[in-house]
Amino acid sequence: MSDYTTLPDVLPAPEDDGAADHLPGLPVPSLVMTATDGSLVDLSTLGGRSIVYLYPMTGVPGVALPEGWDLIPGARGCTPESCGFRDHFAELRAAGASAVFGLSSQTTDYQREAIERLYLPFGMLADPELRLAESLRLPTFEAGGMRLYKRLTLVVRGGVIEHAFYPVFPPNEHAAAVI
């Protein structure tokens, strides 16, 4: 399947393995990440209530996804999830989100392509070393020789994780659930 904006009819759902149960109430570590607009963002200093959705990787048209990608529970759907946050961005802001960010282990340049192609009105944060995963013991998985974030969303208020959505399924409906 080469259209990354749609999901296959049959997609394995991830199971809740408890890997995010410890997150609510934890302070967000001071880690500076590069955003797609070139700014540096420290998640620990975000004001108000911020939404940070973590995703494995966005596909690029014409580039094959890792072998067996559609069979990995929770892997497929990064582009539809990002489009959902795009389509619900105004509603998220109206509901009190002071900021929305996507975050993955992909580089800023890789993410910038997705921002432009998908017309995303918010920035993506690059964490190629998975520093946030190490600091908060976030769930990850291996595919195609890469270590990637499992899909989850953090609601951060005043530098503290207020809520963690995990597992996220289906990804294309997730932004509406966050509202």
Side-chain angles (χ1 to χ4, degrees):
M1 181 176 228
S2 60
D3 180 7
Y4 300 139
T5 62
T6 61
L7 297 173
D9 292 335
V10 179
L11 198 62
E15 293 185 20
D16 189 349
D17 57 6
D21 290 352
H22 67 286
L23 294 172
L26 284 181
V28 178
S30 181
L31 297 172
V32 177
M33 298 184 190
T34 303
T36 45
D37 66 1
S39 66
L40 299 177
V41 176
D42 184 340
L43 296 178
S44 71
T45 64
L46 293 175
R49 179 178 281 147
S50 299
I51 309 299
V52 182
Y53 71 96
L54 290 81
Y55 61 94
M57 63 177 280
T58 52
V60 175
V63 177
L65 292 170
E67 188 172 332
W69 188 252
D70 288 358
L71 303 176
I72 301 169
R76 181 66 183 255
C78 302
T79 297
E81 181 181 26
S82 292
C83 290
F85 278 99
R86 175 198 65 203
D87 296 346
H88 291 286
F89 182 71
E91 293 169 81
L92 287 160
R93 298 287 300 212
S98 56
V100 174
F101 292 101
L103 186 150
S104 77
S105 62
Q106 295 169 294
T107 66
T108 303
D109 287 340
Y110 192 104
Q111 293 172 326
R112 195 172 291 115
E113 184 279 330
I115 287 276
E116 293 168 3
R117 176 173 39 91
L118 302 174
Y119 303 101
L120 302 180
F122 49 83
M124 298 286 215
L125 302 175
D127 187 13
E129 295 88 23
L130 287 98
R131 295 176 301 143
L132 190 62
E134 296 301 320
S135 297
L136 292 174
R137 298 183 339 265
L138 298 177
T140 62
F141 69 100
E142 301 279 333
M146 299 175 285
R147 183 171 167 225
L148 304 166
Y149 279 103
K150 283 190 177 182
R151 189 181 315 283
L152 79 114
T153 296
L154 302 175
V155 179
V156 178
R157 179 183 256 182
V160 175
I161 298 170
E162 186 176 63
H163 186 78
F165 290 88
Y166 178 83
V168 171
F169 193 80
N172 59 325
E173 298 175 13
H174 180 56
V178 172
I179 294 169

